[in-house]
């Protein structure tokens, strides 16, 4: 399939969904939905860029004149569909209104559209109702194509290469921030085009799941949670957590870590076509609860990943989403004990017809870095 055909098919699926849902149009502004639908990684600017897909007209992309050549160079430019550019003294909303011969009915707006855009659209087209396009787009994005699965495998391999080298950065006497800086450099060196987040949470900081880095000096005996991720040139994201121990961990921490390791395996093994999100969550959570750690597992088990680090499907308690082949998400149970320490183990997993395929291959055992 040619590059642009790939995106034509995605737009055609949106048109089918508009017909099925009796929506007149869908408006998509820069962000991962736009990247997904037309391969155009537009920078969000105050000037309006918007993809307009309707039931009855050909789709078109409206862009500021200064973005025209970038838009034409994207896969959308090769589809033959129109790129309309507007100059500094034009009114892009008027151009859209003319194109669509006025606008009525219900319009779906991308879920991350800026509020001022939404309000402008509502003000300029008073006869329309607006709904979120997220349910339609997410239902398409949640099932990854074979190409996307390869991109996610590459992303996981890249972040695995970073984790393989983390032990040489971790030692007592260095700060989390120093270690984090080394890791960020390595995330780029190992093939990512950007660093999305670096969490280095030593000792008590590990009890905060979204701690980033601080000036805390790593102490001998500290467990250290390292959760890192970036975006590859393909646009797809990596996300992987391993827990390390600088010097010998306490026996109590080791016992809890073993329970966590079993919980992570149990949730992973529960991944299969037709499983429900809450069952995958419960498989690991029950193991932690049986060993007194349930109350310290304070977040859901995982999140989908693709062009965004966090996207559908979410894996959590009370979530009845049916998991099916082609979905990709994290399995990342943890425990967080205020004032003491935390631990988390995170892999990205594909649901395949045969069951789970775990993309991250680095050891899930606690990596103990001997004191020097
Ligand atoms: Zn993570
Ligand atoms: Zn994650």
């Amino acid at each position: 399939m040619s590059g642009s055909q790939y995106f034509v098919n995605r737009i055609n699926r949106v048109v089918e969904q508009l017909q099925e849902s009796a929506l007149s149009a869908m408006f998509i502004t820069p962000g991962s939905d736009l990247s997904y639908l037309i391969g155009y990684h537009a920078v969000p600017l105050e000037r309006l860029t918007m993809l307009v897909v309707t039931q009855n007209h050909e789709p078109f992309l409206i862009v500021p004149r200064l973005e025209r050549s970038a838009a034409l160079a994207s896969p959308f430019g090769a589809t033959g569909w129109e790129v309309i550019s507007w100059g500094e003294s034009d009114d892009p909303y008027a151009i859209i209104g003319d194109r669509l011969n006025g606008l009525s009915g219900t319009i779906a707006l991308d879920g991350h559209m800026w509020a001022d855009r939404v309000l402008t659209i509502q003000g300029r087209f008073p006869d329309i109702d607006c709904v979120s396009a997220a349910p339609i787009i997410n239902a398409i994005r949640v099932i990854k194509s074979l190409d996307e699965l390869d991109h996610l495998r590459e992303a996981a391999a890249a972040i695995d290469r970073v984790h393989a080298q983390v032990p040489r950065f971790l030692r007592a006497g260095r700060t989390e921030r120093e270690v984090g800086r080394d890791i960020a450099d390595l995330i780029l060196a190992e093939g990512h085009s950007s660093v999305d987040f670096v969490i280095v949470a030593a000792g008590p900081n590990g009890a905060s799941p979204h701690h980033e880095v601080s000036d805390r000096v790593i102490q001998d005996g500290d467990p250290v949670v390292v959760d890192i991720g970036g975006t590859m040139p393909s646009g797809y994201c990596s996300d992987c957590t391993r827990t390390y121990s600088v010097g010998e961990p306490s026996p109590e921490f080791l016992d809890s870590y073993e329970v966590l390791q079993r919980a992570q395996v149990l949730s992973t093994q529960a991944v299969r076509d037709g499983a429900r999100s809450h069952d995958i969550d419960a498989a690991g959570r029950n193991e932690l609860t049986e060993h007194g750690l349930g109350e310290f597992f304070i977040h859901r088990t995982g999140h989908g990943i693709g062009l965004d680090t966090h996207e559908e499907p979410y894996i959590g308690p009370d979530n009845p989403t049916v998991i099916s082949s082609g979905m990709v998400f994290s399995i990342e149970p943890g425990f967080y004990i205020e004032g003491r320490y935390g631990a988390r183990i995170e892999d990205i997993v594909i649901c395949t017809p045969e069951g789970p395929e775990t993309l991250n291959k680095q050891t899930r055992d606690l990596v103990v870095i001997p004191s020097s």
Side-chain angles (χ1 to χ4, degrees):
M1 205 182 337
S2 78
S4 61
Q5 187 57 42
Y6 199 74
F7 296 103
V8 169
N9 292 349
R10 288 179 177 176
I11 294 284
N12 287 339
R13 292 189 60 192
V14 168
V15 174
E16 280 166 27
Q17 289 302 313
L18 291 178
Q19 287 162 351
E20 243 171 64
S21 312
L23 296 168
S24 337
M26 187 180 286
F27 291 173
I28 309 283
T29 49
S32 58
D33 287 340
L34 189 71
S35 300
Y36 179 84
L37 289 176
I38 62 170
Y40 180 35
H41 307 283
V43 185
L45 298 170
E46 76 288 5
R47 296 184 178 93
L48 182 72
T49 287
M50 196 157 78
L51 172 69
V52 176
V53 185
T54 68
Q55 282 201 36
N56 308 319
H57 303 71
E58 290 214 324
F60 62 88
L61 180 66
I62 184 160
V63 298
R65 187 160 292 150
L66 68 170
E67 302 297 326
R68 181 177 176 81
S69 52
L72 285 171
S74 77
F76 187 84
T79 59
W81 285 325
E82 197 176 359
V83 175
I84 301 170
S85 48
W86 59 276
E88 297 288 44
S89 53
D90 294 332
D91 173 357
Y93 296 96
I95 296 173
I96 293 167
D98 287 348
R99 269 301 156 130
L100 302 179
N101 304 320
L103 205 50
S104 60
T106 305
I107 313 287
L109 308 181
D110 81 74
H112 295 280
M113 190 178 285
W114 291 347
D116 65 353
R117 295 252 195 279
V118 176
L119 294 169
T120 304
I121 290 167
Q122 287 174 329
R124 297 294 297 273
F125 306 108
D127 297 335
I128 63 167
D129 290 317
C130 295
V131 295
S132 172
I136 290 177
I137 299 278
N138 290 347
I140 298 173
R141 281 180 59 176
V142 76
I143 305 293
K144 268 59 181 178
S145 67
L146 296 178
D147 286 0
E148 291 183 285
L149 296 179
D150 280 342
H151 292 321
L152 286 160
R153 288 187 186 101
E154 270 175 39
I159 209 70
D160 278 1
R161 292 194 295 274
V162 178
H163 267 298
Q165 299 173 72
V166 163
R168 66 185 169 93
F169 300 135
L170 281 176
R171 63 176 175 272
R174 299 197 79 200
T175 66
E176 293 173 349
R177 197 179 305 282
E178 287 166 343
V179 173
R181 216 171 279 146
D182 289 339
I183 291 174
D185 289 345
L186 207 48
I187 289 174
L188 297 175
E190 290 297 350
H192 295 83
S193 52
S194 65
V195 177
D196 295 336
F197 55 92
V198 174
I199 298 174
V200 179
N205 290 338
S208 166
H210 280 168
H211 176 80
E212 292 186 343
V213 292
S214 75
D215 292 316
R216 178 187 159 84
V217 176
I218 297 170
Q219 310 289 311
D220 194 51
D222 271 356
V224 186
V225 179
V226 177
D227 185 354
I228 51 181
T231 302
M232 298 291 282
S234 62
Y236 286 78
C237 299
S238 64
D239 182 7
C240 182
T241 311
R242 291 293 182 260
T243 301
Y244 300 83
S245 178
V246 173
E248 282 307 310
S250 68
E252 196 190 353
F253 180 82
L254 262 184
D255 285 350
S256 300
Y257 188 85
E258 279 174 18
V259 176
L260 176 65
Q261 217 175 340
R262 286 200 301 275
Q264 206 267 346
V265 169
L266 287 166
S267 276
T268 303
Q269 287 172 344
V271 173
R272 58 181 166 73
D273 200 285
R276 289 198 184 263
S277 168
H278 58 65
D279 291 331
I280 297 171
D281 182 272
R285 193 175 299 277
N286 291 345
E287 178 70 12
L288 286 158
T289 302
E290 276 169 30
H291 293 84
L293 291 167
E295 64 177 301
F296 304 111
F297 177 19
I298 54 176
H299 55 73
R300 63 191 173 211
T301 290
H303 55 83
I305 186 165
L307 289 170
D308 289 316
T309 309
H310 285 197
E311 57 180 57
E312 299 277 348
Y314 293 96
I315 308 299
D318 309 316
N319 184 336
T321 301
V322 177
I323 298 305
S324 52
S325 294
M327 291 187 182
V328 183
F329 43 86
S330 67
I331 298 288
E332 52 177 308
F335 59 81
Y336 308 93
I337 301 178
E338 211 57 54
R340 299 186 63 193
Y341 47 58
R344 179 164 65 256
I345 305 170
E346 173 180 27
D347 289 324
I348 303 302
V349 175
I350 302 177
C351 177
T352 80
E354 290 79 42
E357 175 189 337
T358 299
L359 302 191
N360 300 100
K361 315 282 189 199
Q362 279 295 303
T363 181
R364 286 160 213 96
D365 293 343
L366 184 72
V367 175
V368 178
I369 296 142
S371 325
S372 43

